[in-house]
Amino acid sequence: NAGVMQNPRHLVRRRGQEARLRCSPVKGHSHVYWYRQLPEEGLKFMVYLQKENIIDESGMPKERFSAEFPKEGPSILRIQQVVRGDSAAYFCASSLTLTGPQNIQYFGAGTRLSVL
Amino acid sequence: QKEVEQDPGPLSVPEGAIVSLNCTYSNSAFQYFMWYRQYSRKGPELLMYTYSSGNKEDGRFTAQVDKSSKYISLFIRDSQPSDSATYLCAMSKSGANNLFFGTGTRLTVIP
């Protein structure tokens, strides 16, 4: 009974490179969320996706960041031309439904991105 | 002003103590309240989920919500060293998709 799977667990990139973070939700969950956790800060919402659709990207930086959740395969968070300020832990969560008690979000172990 | 405020601690208690963790919030639109536990270098793990004012108990954990005061609490009875972690409060609005988190309180239970 696999939970939310994220890979890689650790990712090192040099400034200007691209980072791709992958997330496979809990089996049967069609709602995926990405959060970013900076050191000594709480998790901050970035984007919410359903299959093939971005529903809410209000927390996503306007440039360099994009996300997708294709019909087949994992959700991808892509960061282009990374800068040192992108260094953080990125967490993916999934839920069964959008509203009500079953909108419980289950989190993966995160990807820790380090930008050199 | 942050929408969710949480004392970051750190908080150290002896084994067996009762721990009280708290968060306040400013937006009355929050309807669902959660407590997550996060061990070092791990993802948040859901501990408690409530959507009404009052108390909810699960084993050694009790979650309390006071919507009139915009205040939520998590109590841990008979605390154990394995409870040492960062505790995050989170909340969401009705019909909304994203969670708003506190900064987390780091707890250490000393054997």
Side-chain angles (χ1 to χ4, degrees):
Chain A
N1 182 21
V4 177
M5 303 300 290
Q6 288 188 250
N7 66 82
R9 292 293 309 277
H10 302 275
L11 183 61
V12 179
R13 286 287 179 267
R14 296 189 182 279
R15 281 180 296 170
Q17 291 185 320
E18 179 181 286
R20 282 187 179 234
L21 289 63
R22 294 175 182 77
C23 169
S24 296
V26 173
K27 189 176 181 180
H29 286 190
S30 59
H31 303 262
V32 167
Y33 315 80
W34 286 93
Y35 293 82
R36 178 164 63 177
Q37 187 175 38
L38 293 168
E40 307 305 321
E41 292 189 19
L43 283 80
K44 296 285 195 294
F45 169 77
M46 298 181 74
V47 62
Y48 158 54
L49 311 100
Q50 288 186 17
K51 281 289 186 182
E52 301 185 273
N53 292 302
I54 296 174
I55 307 301
D56 180 356
E57 55 183 349
S58 58
M60 196 90 110
K62 298 295 182 209
E63 298 178 348
R64 302 187 297 108
F65 284 72
S66 62
E68 62 178 22
F69 188 15
K71 187 176 180 181
E72 300 291 336
S75 175
I76 306 286
L77 179 67
R78 182 181 177 206
I79 311 172
Q80 294 179 289
Q81 299 175 330
V82 296
V83 300
R84 289 218 173 103
D86 297 333
S87 297
Y90 292 82
F91 290 95
C92 172
S94 72
S95 70
L96 182 62
T97 65
L98 173 59
T99 60
Q102 293 197 326
N103 180 27
I104 294 173
Q105 295 186 20
Y106 296 90
F107 283 80
T111 293
R112 278 154 185 83
L113 172 66
S114 296
V115 179
L116 304 179
Chain B
Q1 182 189 9
K2 292 181 182 178
E3 291 197 79
V4 182
E5 297 277 1
Q6 183 176 10
D7 185 342
L11 181 62
S12 292
V13 301
E15 183 175 353
I18 295 174
V19 176
S20 172
L21 304 165
N22 312 292
C23 286
T24 59
Y25 61 96
S26 56
N27 194 331
S28 58
F30 289 129
Q31 296 294 318
Y32 301 97
F33 305 92
M34 290 133 270
W35 285 95
Y36 284 85
R37 178 174 62 194
Q38 186 176 22
Y39 291 112
S40 181
R41 299 289 189 178
K42 302 291 186 184
E45 169 195 11
L46 182 68
L47 280 177
M48 301 287 283
Y49 179 97
T50 59
Y51 53 91
S52 59
S53 282
N55 293 352
K56 180 178 180 180
E57 189 173 319
D58 184 2
R60 295 185 295 112
F61 299 92
T62 299
Q64 191 174 78
V65 174
D66 182 346
K67 288 187 177 180
S68 63
S69 300
K70 297 188 180 68
Y71 188 88
I72 67 172
S73 299
L74 177 71
F75 298 96
I76 308 174
R77 290 184 300 280
D78 187 24
S79 56
Q80 303 294 310
S82 58
D83 295 329
S84 298
T86 296
Y87 290 80
L88 303 160
C89 65
M91 46 199 79
S92 64
K93 303 171 188 175
S94 181
N97 43 70
N98 53 313
L99 298 179
F100 292 80
F101 281 86
T103 52
T105 299
R106 186 175 301 177
L107 171 69
T108 301
V109 180
I110 302 166

